[in-house]
Amino acid sequence: MIKIDVVLGLQYGDEGKGKITNQMASSGKYSHVMRYNGGSNAGHTIYVKGQKVVTHLVPCGIFHGIPSVIGPGCVVHLDKFLKELEYLNNLGYFTHLVKVAYNAHIVTDDHIEEDSKDTRIGTTKTGNGPCYRDKVMRVGKRAEDIPELSDMIIDIADHGEDYKILAEGAQGYWLDIDSGDYPYVTSSSCGIGAVLNNGFSHKAINSVVGVAKAYSTYVGAKSYQSEDPRFEEIRKEGQEYGATTGRPRQIQWFDVDEVLIACIRNGVDKLIINKLDVLEKVDNSWNVMSPWANKKEIINFDNKSDFKSFILDECYKSLPNMKVEFQESPL
Ligand code: IMP
Ligand code: MG
């Protein structure tokens, strides 16, 4: 039976999905690692054998000798993609393991030029929005139309029954085109439905790992960060700058409701909360946002253990069977 384990973001991207996917891919359990949405607007910073590697499109299977698939829900800019393969090749990874779904869409230079004029949403200027628009308008080009990709083309939906796929998402649930704070969203679906749209049955989903950070970050045109000098420190300590654009990420405290709603809607079996050490280093800022009398209040805890207990309690109240794990920064 085909089985898919999913890694998805529960906030606004940059939760550390790349790190978690990489940990899971190293288990030897998977036949494929597949990206299921987005394009090179994403940036995964991961540490492989102590070496920092930044990828935008290629899934991390290649670090473990596993076929790495860019799924039908993704969009690909040929030159950027080939450059990324060259970068990975130079680092010593076998890029012949990289496959592209025949029906993934192609980002053109015109898409990038159009997107680069955006000031309204604060996009990553990687051409994603215009490319998905052309897909929906049915005037787009697909990977199968590009001769340079012919050796890499795959139909992932026509899968073998014994496939064990690790499916990694880009962005996060609150950047989802439908569920996010429209128009301050990305152009693709980021939730569990997006995995199925790559050509799979819901029965193929074996487990869903949701990833969050111990605080929240967002990059884009809307105002998100409130006044608090500790946010600047968190940005520095947590290196919260866009992996794709270098833009400073806006910071906010961990929003309990936001993360729990994302867990419920996406059927998360295991929640991983990253980067606890950053709050510790910034003056033990053990804060969360939680609704109180219908408005969001900041609740402060004296220490890490009270912070964790509060989150665990809230998770247990809503999702008693969900596992919860806390992690520190990478390496
Ligand atoms: P686009 O996906 O480039 O169109 O950008 C739309 C919004 O999503 C902007 O606010 C981007 O900053 C945000 N965004 C897109 N991809 C990522 C990501 O991988 N991490 C964080 N934010 C992202
Ligand atoms: Mg990122």
Side-chain angles (χ1 to χ4, degrees), residues 264-281:
I264 291 166
R265 294 193 194 165
N266 292 292
V268 170
D269 298 296
K270 182 179 180 183
L271 162 64
I272 298 179
I273 301 176
N274 276 319
K275 286 190 157 181
L276 251 70
D277 53 310
V278 173
L279 292 183
E280 189 156 37
K281 284 180 197 141

Side-chain angles (χ1 to χ4, degrees), residues 12-14 41-43 121-126 171 175 185-187 218-220 247:
Y12 299 84
D14 309 311
N41 49 353
I121 309 301
T123 73
T124 58
K125 305 192 190 303
T126 47
Q171 291 87 46
L175 285 175
V185 293
T186 190
S187 316
Y218 158 85
V219 212
R247 291 178 293 176

